[in-house]
Amino acid sequence: GDSVTQMEGPVTLSEEAFLTINCTYTATGYPSLFWYVQYPGEGLQLLLKATKADDKGSNKGFEATYRKETTSFHLEKGSVQVSDSAVYFCALSVQGAQKLVFGQGTRLTINP
Amino acid sequence: NAGVMQNPRHLVRRRGQEARLRCSPMKGHSHVYWYRQLPEEGLKFMVYLQKENIIDESGMPKERFSAEFPKEGPSILRIQQVVRGDSAAYFCASSPPHVSPDTQYFGPGTRLTVL
């Protein structure tokens, strides 16, 4: 079945450090890929998405590239801020299916 | 344009009671999805509804759980005879009609605690 595997957390970094959160997927069809962010006590917000191979999604300094050959969609940011502290979820949806399939989430803490 | 609204935000029930969770989609959205997030886990799809129709309930437990999205009013997720294992955050999402449902807009969630 369709599934998403994320880098185990929690991840703790200092402000201005480089961030990578790994995400790999398996899918029966040709999926769209997403990163969602969940701030404490809130619902999920879409951070970025990519719908076809080699597309790069970007938002708020975060980037992720859809790599079909490695079935990956790793999240990166060049210089993190304290305000980036949150839980990050990688997800996919397969064409024809209406549901999102989520990874287990990665908790990120940025220290000043 | 108000976002997806869920109420209550926090709900406490004793074992055996019923829990009713409400979700009002964004204006103009006629597709509603329910997800459950167990502690320290990702979200798991439960059910997908359109107005007056259940489209996909493949993630719903076979017993005690039901969902509806009537022609008027919010979508309701109903859990009968709750057990401690039902304690979780329940998120609703909505998307507009006639477009790909790839992008879903999430509500703030209802955190259910079963004592």
Side-chain angles (χ1 to χ4, degrees):
Chain A
D2 303 326
S3 66
V4 175
T5 301
Q6 275 183 247
M7 174 178 173
E8 288 281 337
V11 174
T12 303
L13 296 171
S14 297
E15 206 165 19
E16 300 184 2
F18 183 85
L19 169 70
T20 300
I21 301 178
N22 289 340
C23 171
T24 57
Y25 67 89
T26 58
T28 51
Y30 198 149
S32 295
L33 302 174
F34 307 85
W35 277 99
Y36 281 84
V37 59
Q38 183 181 31
Y39 297 104
E42 298 184 12
L44 276 70
Q45 301 174 24
L46 178 66
L47 182 59
L48 53 85
K49 72 174 185 178
T51 57
K52 61 182 188 296
D54 300 323
D55 269 2
K56 178 185 285 188
S58 62
N59 186 25
K60 300 181 181 179
F62 290 89
E63 294 182 339
T65 300
Y66 190 143
R67 300 287 187 202
K68 191 171 182 220
E69 64 275 14
T70 55
T71 61
S72 65
F73 193 54
H74 304 319
L75 183 69
E76 296 181 336
K77 187 174 184 181
S79 176
V80 292
Q81 306 299 314
V82 172
S83 58
D84 294 327
S85 298
V87 181
Y88 291 81
F89 292 95
C90 186
L92 67 81
S93 71
V94 178
Q95 193 171 12
Q98 308 298 323
K99 62 187 178 185
L100 288 165
V101 177
F102 286 89
Q104 72 271 32
T106 301
R107 184 176 299 277
L108 174 66
T109 301
I110 306 301
N111 293 321
Chain B
N1 189 10
V4 178
M5 298 176 67
Q6 291 188 249
N7 68 81
R9 294 291 305 274
H10 300 275
L11 182 61
V12 179
R13 285 287 179 266
R14 298 191 179 279
R15 281 179 296 170
Q17 292 185 318
E18 178 180 288
R20 292 170 72 88
L21 288 62
R22 294 175 184 78
C23 168
S24 296
M26 287 180 69
K27 187 176 181 181
H29 287 195
S30 57
H31 298 201
V32 165
Y33 313 79
W34 285 93
Y35 293 83
R36 176 165 63 175
Q37 183 182 29
L38 295 171
E40 303 302 319
E41 293 188 15
L43 281 72
K44 300 283 191 243
F45 169 80
M46 299 182 74
V47 63
Y48 161 47
L49 310 103
Q50 296 178 15
K51 286 283 187 181
E52 300 184 281
N53 286 302
I54 297 174
I55 308 302
D56 180 355
E57 57 181 347
S58 58
M60 287 279 271
K62 293 290 185 279
E63 298 177 347
R64 301 187 299 107
F65 285 72
S66 62
E68 63 176 10
F69 188 17
K71 187 176 180 181
E72 301 291 338
S75 175
I76 306 288
L77 179 67
R78 182 181 178 207
I79 311 172
Q80 296 178 289
Q81 299 173 351
V82 296
V83 301
R84 289 220 173 103
D86 297 333
S87 295
Y90 292 82
F91 290 96
C92 168
S94 72
S95 68
H98 311 306
V99 296
S100 169
D102 275 2
T103 303
Q104 298 177 12
Y105 296 83
F106 282 81
T110 294
R111 281 158 180 82
L112 172 66
T113 301
V114 179
L115 301 178

